[in-house]
Coordinates of all heavy atoms in Angstrom, one line a residue:
M92 N 177.0 186.1 1.4 CA 176.9 185.0 2.3 C 177.4 185.5 3.7 O 178.2 186.5 3.8 CB 177.7 183.9 1.8 CG 179.2 183.9 2.2 SD 180.1 182.4 1.7 CE 179.5 182.0 0.1
F93 N 176.8 185.0 4.8 CA 177.2 185.3 6.1 C 178.4 184.4 6.5 O 178.4 183.2 6.3 CB 176.0 185.0 7.1 CG 176.4 185.3 8.5 CD1 176.4 186.5 9.0 CD2 176.8 184.2 9.3 CE1 176.8 186.7 10.3 CE2 177.2 184.4 10.6 CZ 177.2 185.7 11.2
V94 N 179.4 185.1 7.1 CA 180.6 184.4 7.5 C 180.9 184.7 9.0 O 180.8 185.8 9.5 CB 181.8 184.8 6.7 CG1 183.1 184.2 7.1 CG2 181.5 184.5 5.2
L95 N 181.3 183.7 9.7 CA 181.7 183.8 11.1 C 183.1 183.1 11.1 O 183.3 182.0 10.8 CB 180.8 183.1 12.1 CG 181.3 183.1 13.5 CD1 181.1 184.5 14.2 CD2 180.5 182.0 14.3
I96 N 184.1 183.9 11.5 CA 185.5 183.4 11.6 C 186.1 183.6 13.0 O 185.9 184.7 13.6 CB 186.5 184.1 10.6 CG1 185.9 183.9 9.2 CG2 187.9 183.6 10.7 CD1 186.7 184.5 8.1
T97 N 186.7 182.5 13.5 CA 187.3 182.6 14.8 C 188.7 181.9 14.7 O 188.9 181.1 13.8 CB 186.5 181.9 15.9 OG1 187.1 182.1 17.2 CG2 186.2 180.5 15.6
Y98 N 189.6 182.4 15.5 CA 191.0 181.8 15.5 C 191.5 181.6 16.8 O 191.1 182.2 17.8 CB 191.9 182.7 14.7 CG 192.0 184.2 15.2 CD1 192.9 184.5 16.2 CD2 191.3 185.2 14.7 CE1 193.0 185.8 16.7 CE2 191.4 186.5 15.1 CZ 192.3 186.8 16.2 OH 192.4 188.0 16.6
D99 N 192.5 180.7 16.9 CA 193.2 180.3 18.1 C 194.6 180.2 17.8 O 195.1 179.3 17.1 CB 192.7 179.0 18.7 CG 193.3 178.6 20.0 OD1 193.9 179.5 20.7 OD2 193.1 177.5 20.4
V100 N 195.4 181.3 18.2 CA 196.8 181.4 17.8 C 197.6 181.8 19.1 O 196.9 182.4 20.0 CB 197.1 182.3 16.6 CG1 196.3 181.8 15.4 CG2 196.6 183.7 16.9
D101 N 198.9 181.7 19.0 CA 199.7 182.3 20.1 C 199.4 183.8 20.3 O 199.2 184.5 19.3 CB 201.2 182.1 19.8 CG 201.6 180.6 20.0 OD1 200.9 179.8 20.7 OD2 202.6 180.2 19.4
A102 N 199.5 184.2 21.5 CA 199.2 185.6 21.8 C 199.9 186.6 21.0 O 199.4 187.6 20.5 CB 199.3 185.9 23.3
E103 N 201.2 186.4 20.7 CA 202.0 187.3 19.9 C 201.6 187.3 18.4 O 202.1 188.2 17.7 CB 203.5 187.1 20.1 CG 203.9 185.7 19.7 CD 203.9 184.6 20.8 OE1 203.4 184.9 21.9 OE2 204.2 183.5 20.5
R104 N 200.7 186.4 18.0 CA 200.3 186.4 16.6 C 198.9 186.9 16.4 O 198.4 187.0 15.2 CB 200.4 185.0 16.0 CG 201.9 184.5 15.9 CD 202.0 183.1 15.3 NE 201.3 183.0 14.1 CZ 201.6 183.5 12.9 NH1 202.7 184.3 12.8 NH2 200.9 183.3 11.8
T105 N 198.2 187.2 17.4 CA 196.8 187.6 17.3 C 196.6 188.9 16.4 O 195.7 189.0 15.7 CB 196.1 187.8 18.6 OG1 196.8 188.9 19.4 CG2 196.0 186.6 19.5
H106 N 197.6 189.8 16.5 CA 197.5 191.0 15.7 C 197.5 190.8 14.2 O 196.9 191.5 13.5 CB 198.6 192.0 16.1 CG 200.0 191.5 15.7 ND1 200.7 190.6 16.3 CD2 200.7 191.9 14.6 CE1 201.8 190.3 15.7 NE2 201.9 191.2 14.6
I107 N 198.1 189.7 13.8 CA 198.2 189.4 12.4 C 196.8 189.1 11.8 O 196.4 189.7 10.8 CB 199.1 188.2 12.1 CG1 200.6 188.5 12.5 CG2 199.0 187.7 10.7 CD1 201.5 187.4 12.5
Y108 N 196.0 188.3 12.6 CA 194.7 187.9 12.1 C 193.7 189.0 12.4 O 192.8 189.2 11.6 CB 194.3 186.6 12.7 CG 195.1 185.5 12.3 CD1 196.2 185.0 13.1 CD2 194.9 184.8 11.1 CE1 197.0 183.9 12.6 CE2 195.7 183.8 10.6 CZ 196.8 183.3 11.4 OH 197.6 182.3 10.9
R109 N 193.8 189.7 13.5 CA 192.9 190.8 13.8 C 193.0 191.8 12.7 O 191.9 192.3 12.3 CB 193.2 191.3 15.2 CG 192.3 192.4 15.7 CD 192.5 192.8 17.1 NE 193.9 193.2 17.4 CZ 194.7 192.5 18.2 NH1 194.3 191.4 18.8 NH2 195.9 192.9 18.4
K110 N 194.2 192.3 12.4 CA 194.3 193.3 11.3 C 193.7 192.8 10.0 O 193.0 193.5 9.3 CB 195.8 193.6 11.2 CG 196.1 194.7 10.2 CD 197.6 195.0 10.1 CE 197.9 196.0 9.1 NZ 199.3 196.3 9.0
L111 N 194.0 191.6 9.6 CA 193.5 191.0 8.3 C 192.0 190.9 8.3 O 191.3 191.4 7.4 CB 194.1 189.6 8.1 CG 193.5 188.8 7.0 CD1 193.8 189.5 5.6 CD2 194.1 187.4 7.0
L112 N 191.4 190.4 9.4 CA 190.0 190.2 9.5 C 189.2 191.4 9.6 O 188.1 191.5 9.1 CB 189.6 189.1 10.5 CG 190.2 187.7 10.3 CD1 190.0 186.9 11.5 CD2 189.5 187.1 9.1
R113 N 189.7 192.4 10.3 CA 189.0 193.7 10.4 C 188.8 194.4 9.1 O 187.9 195.2 8.9 CB 189.8 194.7 11.4 CG 189.5 194.4 12.8 CD 190.2 195.4 13.7 NE 189.8 195.3 15.0 CZ 190.5 195.8 16.1 NH1 191.5 196.5 15.8 NH2 190.0 195.6 17.3
R114 N 189.7 194.1 8.1 CA 189.5 194.7 6.8 C 188.2 194.2 6.1 O 187.7 194.8 5.2 CB 190.7 194.4 5.9 CG 192.0 195.1 6.4 CD 193.0 195.1 5.3 NE 193.1 193.9 4.5 CZ 194.2 193.2 4.4 NH1 195.3 193.4 5.0 NH2 194.1 192.1 3.6
H115 N 187.8 193.0 6.5 CA 186.7 192.4 5.8 C 185.4 192.2 6.6 O 184.3 192.1 6.1 CB 187.1 191.0 5.3 CG 188.3 191.0 4.4 ND1 188.2 191.3 3.0 CD2 189.6 190.8 4.6 CE1 189.4 191.3 2.5 NE2 190.3 191.0 3.4
L116 N 185.6 192.0 7.9 CA 184.4 191.6 8.8 C 184.3 192.5 10.0 O 185.2 193.3 10.3 CB 184.6 190.2 9.2 CG 184.7 189.2 8.1 CD1 185.2 187.8 8.6 CD2 183.4 189.0 7.4
N117 N 183.2 192.4 10.8 CA 183.1 193.1 12.0 C 183.7 192.3 13.2 O 183.5 191.1 13.3 CB 181.5 193.3 12.4 CG 180.9 194.1 11.3 OD1 181.4 195.1 10.8 ND2 179.7 193.7 10.9
H118 N 184.5 192.9 14.0 CA 185.2 192.3 15.1 C 184.2 192.4 16.3 O 183.8 193.4 16.8 CB 186.4 193.2 15.5 CG 187.3 192.5 16.5 ND1 188.2 193.3 17.1 CD2 187.3 191.3 17.0 CE1 188.9 192.5 18.0 NE2 188.3 191.3 17.9
I119 N 183.6 191.2 16.7 CA 182.6 191.2 17.7 C 183.1 190.8 19.1 O 182.5 191.1 20.1 CB 181.4 190.3 17.3 CG1 181.7 188.9 17.0 CG2 180.7 190.9 16.1 CD1 180.6 188.0 16.8
Q120 N 184.1 190.0 19.2 CA 184.7 189.6 20.5 C 186.0 188.9 20.3 O 186.2 188.0 19.5 CB 183.7 188.7 21.2 CG 184.1 188.3 22.6 CD 183.1 187.3 23.2 OE1 182.6 186.4 22.6 NE2 182.9 187.5 24.5
Q121 N 187.0 189.4 21.1 CA 188.4 188.8 21.1 C 188.7 188.3 19.7 O 189.0 189.0 18.8 CB 188.4 187.7 22.1 CG 188.2 188.1 23.5 CD 189.3 189.1 24.0 OE1 190.5 189.0 23.6 NE2 189.0 190.0 24.9
S122 N 188.7 187.0 19.4 CA 189.1 186.4 18.2 C 187.9 186.0 17.3 O 188.0 184.9 16.6 CB 190.0 185.2 18.4 OG 189.4 184.2 19.2
V123 N 186.8 186.7 17.4 CA 185.6 186.3 16.6 C 185.2 187.5 15.7 O 185.1 188.6 16.2 CB 184.5 186.0 17.6 CG1 183.2 185.6 16.8 CG2 184.8 184.9 18.6
F124 N 185.0 187.2 14.5 CA 184.6 188.2 13.5 C 183.4 187.6 12.7 O 183.3 186.4 12.4 CB 185.8 188.4 12.5 CG 187.0 189.0 13.2 CD1 187.8 188.3 13.9 CD2 187.2 190.4 13.0 CE1 188.9 188.9 14.6 CE2 188.3 191.0 13.6 CZ 189.2 190.2 14.4
Q125 N 182.6 188.5 12.2 CA 181.4 188.1 11.4 C 181.0 189.2 10.5 O 181.4 190.4 10.6 CB 180.2 187.8 12.4 CG 179.7 189.0 13.2 CD 178.5 189.7 12.6 OE1 177.7 189.0 11.9 NE2 178.3 191.0 12.8
G126 N 180.3 188.8 9.4 CA 179.8 189.8 8.5 C 179.3 189.1 7.2 O 179.4 187.9 7.1
N127 N 178.8 189.9 6.3 CA 178.3 189.5 5.0 C 179.3 189.9 3.9 O 179.7 191.0 3.8 CB 176.9 190.1 4.7 CG 175.9 189.5 5.6 OD1 175.6 188.3 5.7 ND2 175.2 190.4 6.3
I128 N 179.8 188.9 3.2 CA 180.7 189.1 2.1 C 180.3 188.2 1.0 O 179.5 187.3 1.1 CB 182.2 188.8 2.6 CG1 182.4 187.4 3.0 CG2 182.6 189.8 3.6 CD1 183.8 187.0 3.4
T129 N 180.9 188.5 -0.2 CA 180.6 187.6 -1.4 C 181.5 186.4 -1.4 O 182.5 186.3 -0.6 CB 180.9 188.4 -2.7 OG1 182.3 188.6 -2.7 CG2 180.2 189.8 -2.7
E130 N 181.1 185.4 -2.2 CA 181.9 184.2 -2.3 C 183.4 184.5 -2.8 O 184.3 183.9 -2.3 CB 181.2 183.3 -3.3 CG 181.9 181.8 -3.2 CD 181.0 180.8 -4.0 OE1 179.8 181.0 -4.2 OE2 181.7 179.9 -4.4
G131 N 183.5 185.5 -3.7 CA 184.8 185.9 -4.1 C 185.6 186.5 -3.0 O 186.8 186.2 -2.9
Q132 N 185.0 187.3 -2.2 CA 185.7 187.9 -1.1 C 186.1 186.9 -0.1 O 187.2 186.9 0.5 CB 184.8 189.0 -0.4 CG 184.6 190.2 -1.2 CD 183.5 191.1 -0.6 OE1 182.5 190.7 -0.1 NE2 183.8 192.4 -0.7
L133 N 185.3 185.8 0.1 CA 185.6 184.7 1.0 C 186.8 184.0 0.5 O 187.7 183.6 1.3 CB 184.4 183.8 1.3 CG 184.7 182.6 2.2 CD1 185.2 183.1 3.5 CD2 183.4 181.7 2.3
T134 N 186.8 183.8 -0.8 CA 188.0 183.0 -1.4 C 189.3 183.8 -1.2 O 190.3 183.3 -0.8 CB 187.7 182.8 -2.9 OG1 186.6 182.0 -3.0 CG2 188.9 182.1 -3.5
T135 N 189.2 185.1 -1.5 CA 190.4 186.0 -1.2 C 190.8 186.0 0.2 O 192.0 185.9 0.5 CB 190.0 187.5 -1.6 OG1 189.7 187.5 -3.1 CG2 191.2 188.4 -1.4
L136 N 189.8 186.1 1.1 CA 190.1 186.1 2.6 C 190.7 184.8 3.0 O 191.7 184.8 3.7 CB 188.9 186.4 3.3 CG 189.0 186.5 4.9 CD1 190.1 187.5 5.3 CD2 187.6 186.9 5.5
T137 N 190.2 183.7 2.5 CA 190.7 182.4 2.8 C 192.2 182.2 2.4 O 193.0 181.7 3.1 CB 189.8 181.3 2.2 OG1 188.5 181.4 2.7 CG2 190.4 179.9 2.6
N138 N 192.5 182.7 1.2 CA 193.8 182.6 0.7 C 194.8 183.5 1.5 O 195.9 183.1 1.8 CB 193.9 183.1 -0.8 CG 193.2 182.1 -1.7 OD1 193.0 180.9 -1.4 ND2 192.8 182.6 -2.9
E139 N 194.3 184.7 1.9 CA 195.1 185.6 2.8 C 195.4 184.9 4.1 O 196.5 184.9 4.6 CB 194.4 186.9 3.0 CG 194.4 187.8 1.7 CD 193.7 189.1 2.0 OE1 194.2 189.9 2.9 OE2 192.7 189.4 1.4
I140 N 194.4 184.3 4.7 CA 194.6 183.6 6.0 C 195.6 182.4 5.8 O 196.5 182.3 6.6 CB 193.2 183.0 6.5 CG1 192.3 184.2 6.9 CG2 193.4 182.0 7.6 CD1 190.9 183.8 7.2
E141 N 195.4 181.6 4.8 CA 196.3 180.5 4.5 C 197.8 180.9 4.4 O 198.6 180.3 4.8 CB 195.9 179.7 3.3 CG 194.6 178.9 3.6 CD 194.1 178.1 2.4 OE1 194.4 178.5 1.2 OE2 193.4 177.1 2.6
S142 N 198.0 182.1 3.8 CA 199.3 182.6 3.6 C 200.0 183.0 5.0 O 201.2 183.1 5.0 CB 199.4 183.8 2.6 OG 198.8 185.0 3.2
K143 N 199.2 183.2 6.0 CA 199.7 183.7 7.3 C 199.9 182.6 8.3 O 200.5 182.7 9.3 CB 198.7 184.7 8.0 CG 198.3 185.9 7.1 CD 199.3 187.0 7.2 CE 198.9 188.2 6.4 NZ 199.9 188.8 5.6
L144 N 199.3 181.4 8.0 CA 199.3 180.3 8.9 C 200.7 179.7 9.2 O 201.5 179.6 8.3 CB 198.5 179.1 8.4 CG 196.9 179.3 8.3 CD1 196.3 178.2 7.6 CD2 196.4 179.5 9.7
V145 N 201.0 179.4 10.5 CA 202.2 178.7 10.9 C 201.7 177.5 11.7 O 200.6 177.5 12.1 CB 203.2 179.6 11.6 CG1 203.6 180.8 10.8 CG2 202.5 180.1 13.0
D146 N 202.6 176.6 12.0 CA 202.3 175.5 12.9 C 201.7 176.0 14.2 O 202.2 176.9 14.8 CB 203.6 174.6 13.1 CG 204.0 173.8 12.0 OD1 203.2 173.7 11.0 OD2 205.2 173.4 12.0
G147 N 200.6 175.3 14.5 CA 199.9 175.7 15.8 C 198.8 176.6 15.6 O 197.9 176.8 16.6
D148 N 198.7 177.4 14.5 CA 197.6 178.3 14.3 C 196.3 177.5 13.9 O 196.4 176.5 13.2 CB 197.8 179.2 13.1 CG 198.9 180.3 13.5 OD1 199.3 180.4 14.6 OD2 199.2 181.1 12.6
S149 N 195.2 177.9 14.4 CA 193.9 177.3 14.1 C 192.9 178.4 13.8 O 192.7 179.4 14.5 CB 193.3 176.5 15.3 OG 194.1 175.5 15.7
V150 N 192.3 178.3 12.6 CA 191.3 179.2 12.1 C 190.1 178.4 11.7 O 190.2 177.5 10.9 CB 191.8 180.1 10.9 CG1 190.8 181.0 10.4 CG2 193.1 180.8 11.3
Y151 N 188.9 178.9 12.1 CA 187.6 178.2 11.8 C 186.8 179.2 11.0 O 186.6 180.3 11.4 CB 186.9 177.7 13.1 CG 187.7 176.8 13.9 CD1 188.6 177.3 14.9 CD2 187.7 175.4 13.6 CE1 189.3 176.4 15.6 CE2 188.4 174.5 14.4 CZ 189.3 175.0 15.3 OH 190.0 174.2 16.1
I152 N 186.3 178.8 9.9 CA 185.4 179.6 9.1 C 184.0 178.9 8.9 O 183.9 177.8 8.4 CB 186.0 179.8 7.6 CG1 187.4 180.4 7.8 CG2 185.1 180.6 6.8 CD1 188.2 180.5 6.5
F153 N 183.0 179.6 9.4 CA 181.6 179.1 9.3 C 181.0 180.0 8.3 O 181.2 181.3 8.4 CB 180.9 179.2 10.6 CG 181.6 178.4 11.8 CD1 182.6 179.0 12.5 CD2 181.3 177.1 12.0 CE1 183.2 178.3 13.5 CE2 181.9 176.4 13.0 CZ 182.9 177.0 13.8
H154 N 180.2 179.4 7.4 CA 179.5 180.3 6.5 C 178.1 179.7 6.2 O 177.9 178.5 6.2 CB 180.3 180.6 5.2 CG 180.6 179.4 4.4 ND1 179.7 178.9 3.4 CD2 181.6 178.5 4.4 CE1 180.3 177.8 2.9 NE2 181.4 177.6 3.5
A155 N 177.2 180.6 5.8 CA 175.8 180.3 5.4 C 175.5 181.0 4.1 O 175.7 182.3 4.0 CB 174.8 180.6 6.5
D156 N 175.1 180.3 3.1 CA 174.8 180.9 1.8 C 173.5 181.9 1.9 O 173.4 182.8 1.1 CB 174.5 179.9 0.8 CG 175.8 179.1 0.5 OD1 176.9 179.7 0.6 OD2 175.7 177.9 0.1
V157 N 172.7 181.6 2.9 CA 171.5 182.5 3.0 C 171.6 183.2 4.4 O 171.3 182.7 5.4 CB 170.2 181.6 3.0 CG1 169.0 182.5 3.1 CG2 170.2 180.8 1.7
P158 N 172.1 184.4 4.4 CA 172.3 185.2 5.6 C 171.1 185.3 6.4 O 171.2 185.4 7.7 CB 172.9 186.5 5.2 CG 173.5 186.3 3.8 CD 172.6 185.2 3.2
A159 N 169.9 185.4 5.8 CA 168.7 185.6 6.6 C 168.4 184.4 7.5 O 167.6 184.5 8.4 CB 167.6 185.8 5.6
S160 N 169.0 183.2 7.2 CA 168.7 182.1 8.0 C 169.6 182.0 9.3 O 169.4 181.1 10.1 CB 168.9 180.8 7.2 OG 170.3 180.6 6.9
V161 N 170.5 183.0 9.4 CA 171.4 183.0 10.6 C 170.8 184.0 11.6 O 170.5 185.1 11.3 CB 172.8 183.4 10.2 CG1 173.7 183.5 11.4 CG2 173.4 182.5 9.2
T162 N 170.7 183.6 12.8 CA 170.2 184.4 13.9 C 171.3 184.5 15.0 O 172.0 183.5 15.1 CB 168.9 184.0 14.5 OG1 169.0 182.7 15.0 CG2 167.8 184.0 13.5
C163 N 171.3 185.6 15.7 CA 172.3 185.7 16.8 C 171.5 186.1 18.0 O 170.7 187.0 18.0 CB 173.3 186.8 16.4 SG 174.5 187.1 17.8
R164 N 171.8 185.4 19.1 CA 171.2 185.7 20.3 C 172.3 186.1 21.3 O 173.2 185.3 21.6 CB 170.4 184.6 20.9 CG 169.7 184.8 22.1 CD 168.9 183.6 22.5 NE 168.3 183.7 23.8 CZ 167.7 182.7 24.5 NH1 167.6 181.5 23.9 NH2 167.2 182.9 25.6
S165 N 172.2 187.4 21.8 CA 173.3 187.8 22.8 C 172.7 187.7 24.2 O 171.6 188.0 24.5 CB 173.6 189.3 22.5 OG 174.0 189.5 21.2
L166 N 173.6 187.2 25.1 CA 173.3 187.0 26.4 C 174.3 187.7 27.4 O 175.4 188.0 27.0 CB 173.3 185.5 26.8 CG 172.5 184.6 25.9 CD1 172.7 183.1 26.3 CD2 171.0 184.9 26.2
G167 N 173.8 188.1 28.5 CA 174.7 188.7 29.5 C 175.0 190.1 29.0 O 174.2 190.9 28.4
A168 N 176.3 190.5 29.3 CA 176.7 191.9 28.9 C 177.0 192.1 27.4 O 177.3 193.1 27.0 CB 178.0 192.2 29.7
A169 N 176.9 191.0 26.7 CA 177.2 191.0 25.2 C 176.1 191.9 24.5 O 175.0 191.8 24.8 CB 177.2 189.6 24.6
S170 N 176.6 192.7 23.6 CA 175.6 193.5 22.8 C 175.4 192.7 21.5 O 176.2 191.9 21.1 CB 176.2 194.9 22.5 OG 177.4 194.8 21.8
D171 N 174.3 193.0 20.9 CA 174.0 192.4 19.6 C 175.0 192.9 18.6 O 175.2 194.1 18.4 CB 172.6 192.8 19.2 CG 172.1 192.2 17.9 OD1 173.0 191.7 17.1 OD2 170.9 192.2 17.6
P172 N 175.7 191.9 17.9 CA 176.8 192.3 16.9 C 176.3 193.3 15.9 O 177.1 194.2 15.5 CB 177.2 191.0 16.3 CG 176.8 190.0 17.2 CD 175.6 190.5 18.0
D173 N 175.0 193.2 15.5 CA 174.5 194.2 14.4 C 174.3 195.6 15.0 O 174.3 196.5 14.3 CB 173.2 193.7 13.9 CG 173.5 192.4 13.1 OD1 174.6 192.2 12.5 OD2 172.5 191.6 13.0
D174 N 174.2 195.7 16.3 CA 174.1 197.0 16.9 C 175.4 197.8 17.1 O 175.4 199.0 17.4 CB 173.4 196.9 18.3 CG 171.9 196.5 18.1 OD1 171.3 196.6 17.0 OD2 171.3 196.0 19.1
R175 N 176.5 197.2 17.0 CA 177.8 197.8 17.3 C 178.1 198.9 16.3 O 178.9 199.8 16.7 CB 178.9 196.7 17.3 CG 178.7 195.7 18.3 CD 179.8 194.7 18.2 NE 181.0 195.2 18.7 CZ 181.6 194.9 19.9 NH1 181.0 194.0 20.7 NH2 182.7 195.4 20.3
F176 N 177.6 198.9 15.1 CA 178.0 199.9 14.1 C 176.8 200.7 13.6 O 176.9 201.3 12.5 CB 178.7 199.1 13.0 CG 179.9 198.3 13.4 CD1 179.7 197.0 13.7 CD2 181.1 198.9 13.7 CE1 180.9 196.2 14.2 CE2 182.2 198.2 14.2 CZ 182.0 196.9 14.4
T177 N 175.8 200.8 14.4 CA 174.6 201.6 13.9 C 174.5 202.8 14.7 O 175.1 203.0 15.7 CB 173.3 200.8 14.0 OG1 173.1 200.3 15.3 CG2 173.3 199.6 13.0

């Protein structure tokens, strides 16, 4: 499944989520990560995120069961996320 995760946390806590999410997904911009993972991996990742949450942290998880139905359009100086690792 395709997953897009973004977070909004205090600046001194960004490293916690960045380190966690980089293990599973592609870091595409500041607090935005995307990639294809299994449902089991998403469950594991969700549990890991929940264990790190403190008051004031916000994490948004978007997912699509059919990755082929997700398209990304990059504008301006942004590069296509799929091109970053090829």
